[in-house]
Amino acid sequence: MFVQTKLYEGKAKILYSTDDPDVLLADFKDDATAFNAQKRGSIQGKGSINCTLSSKLFQQLESHSIKTHFIDSPAPNQMRVRAVKILPLEVVVRNIAAGSLCQQTGLSLGTVLSQPLVEFYYKDDKLGDPLLTRDRLLLLKLAKEEQVDSITDLALQINEFLKDFWQQCGITLVDFKLEFGLDSQQQLLLADEISPDTCRLWDMAENDPNRRVMDKDRFRRDLGNVENAYQEVLQRVLKVLESQKL
């Protein structure tokens, strides 16, 4: 595969064109950012860990009839993906109150929600990625109404799968962010990544509110042992996937 030019560089990944216009190469970086890139740093090995985790989880979702942009992973920190036009939406699914949900509603950290909450945020750094109502989303023409319905259904399906999968890993899925895109056939595909960068993950065997954190909150909140937490998540995922083969 001949990699041609750099098309885009984001906070966590670089996208390159390939000799196939419908295929891109995503290079996962070790760079870490938080608070809309106001805090910056690096997490050693993060690129390879997140790429490997995302590859494994995308394959699992594909086997459960969830269409993704994943093709294969030619290197630990690289993923070949179908070229998609990313919808300017961050789709957040919440199972337990944490982060901005607590700040904006007064709910106590750790409150288990009676049902999963699906939220849409405008993917725009200049505006601070604001929370959107459905009517605002449609007013701004960020997606078609039927696409919003499809995304909501897919997000809930993905949540059910991931909750069960992470539980097998001894991890509680608190909340997570998804992104979707349209391929050349206007087919809606799950894109971006699924990793400790995009999921809030708590160790089920740990009750301490700091020690249980296994995701980017360790970086956001200066909790330390960030690399170890990411590596532990990867090892648990690989162990569960290996056990499923037996």
Side-chain angles (χ1 to χ4, degrees):
M1 178 183 64
F2 175 68
V3 178
Q4 295 175 326
T5 56
K6 181 164 75 172
L7 299 176
Y8 168 81
E9 181 167 359
K11 299 167 188 171
K13 291 181 285 295
I14 303 173
L15 284 179
Y16 296 94
S17 64
T18 70
D19 50 4
D20 184 339
D22 289 326
V23 176
L24 302 178
L25 183 74
D27 191 285
F28 285 63
K29 304 193 296 183
D30 287 349
D31 295 357
T33 63
F35 311 116
N36 202 12
Q38 293 178 38
K39 180 176 182 179
R40 294 177 179 272
S42 178
I43 301 172
Q44 185 177 5
K46 179 175 84 76
S48 295
I49 290 171
N50 285 359
C51 183
T52 302
L53 280 169
S54 296
S55 298
K56 300 295 185 184
L57 292 171
F58 279 145
Q59 290 177 76
Q60 289 295 304
L61 287 167
E62 290 272 3
S63 71
H64 286 74
S65 302
I66 302 292
K67 296 183 183 299
T68 79
H69 71 162
F70 175 79
I71 297 174
D72 59 26
S73 180
N77 68 321
Q78 293 182 336
M79 185 189 296
R80 286 201 316 149
V81 298
R82 296 173 181 84
V84 296
K85 181 181 179 182
I86 294 288
L87 297 174
L89 294 172
E90 293 185 348
V91 184
V92 174
V93 185
R94 301 181 185 274
N95 298 304
I96 297 172
S100 62
L101 182 62
C102 294
Q103 297 163 14
Q104 295 167 1
T105 65
L107 285 171
S108 298
L109 176 67
T111 301
V112 177
L113 307 184
S114 58
Q115 61 186 34
L117 176 65
V118 179
E119 297 177 329
F120 293 90
Y121 292 79
Y122 191 0
K123 189 175 165 63
D124 189 312
D125 286 344
K126 292 180 181 178
L127 296 176
D129 301 331
L131 176 65
L132 294 169
T133 63
R134 184 185 180 94
D135 286 344
R136 284 190 179 187
L137 189 162
L138 296 174
L139 172 69
L140 295 172
K141 298 181 179 178
L142 302 180
K144 297 177 181 177
E145 191 161 9
E146 60 270 22
Q147 290 171 339
V148 176
D149 292 336
S150 295
I151 288 171
T152 302
D153 289 342
L154 284 169
L156 290 170
Q157 289 178 48
I158 293 166
N159 183 50
E160 284 307 304
F161 168 78
L162 289 179
K163 270 202 312 181
D164 179 67
F165 183 84
W166 286 122
Q167 188 173 41
Q168 293 177 58
C169 300
I171 296 172
T172 297
L173 178 60
V174 178
D175 56 39
F176 61 101
K177 174 181 74 72
L178 299 172
E179 293 188 24
F180 292 86
L182 299 172
D183 66 9
S184 58
Q185 308 300 313
Q186 296 301 295
Q187 179 178 219
L188 190 66
L189 301 179
L190 175 64
D192 195 39
E193 65 181 275
I194 301 174
S195 72
D197 269 15
T198 62
C199 299
R200 190 170 265 120
L201 306 169
W202 290 350
D203 189 343
M204 292 174 64
E206 185 61 71
N207 292 320
D208 184 275
N210 290 332
R211 287 200 296 266
R212 69 186 176 187
V213 175
M214 305 181 75
D215 55 75
K216 197 165 75 169
D217 271 351
R218 299 205 70 83
F219 171 76
R220 289 190 190 96
R221 296 163 49 196
D222 296 316
L223 297 178
N225 295 317
V226 185
E227 292 89 351
N228 291 344
Y230 276 57
Q231 190 64 46
E232 176 66 19
V233 171
L234 175 61
Q235 293 307 314
R236 292 193 192 189
V237 167
L238 295 177
K239 183 176 180 180
V240 167
L241 291 176
E242 188 62 33
S243 71
Q244 292 177 352
K245 295 178 182 178
L246 301 178

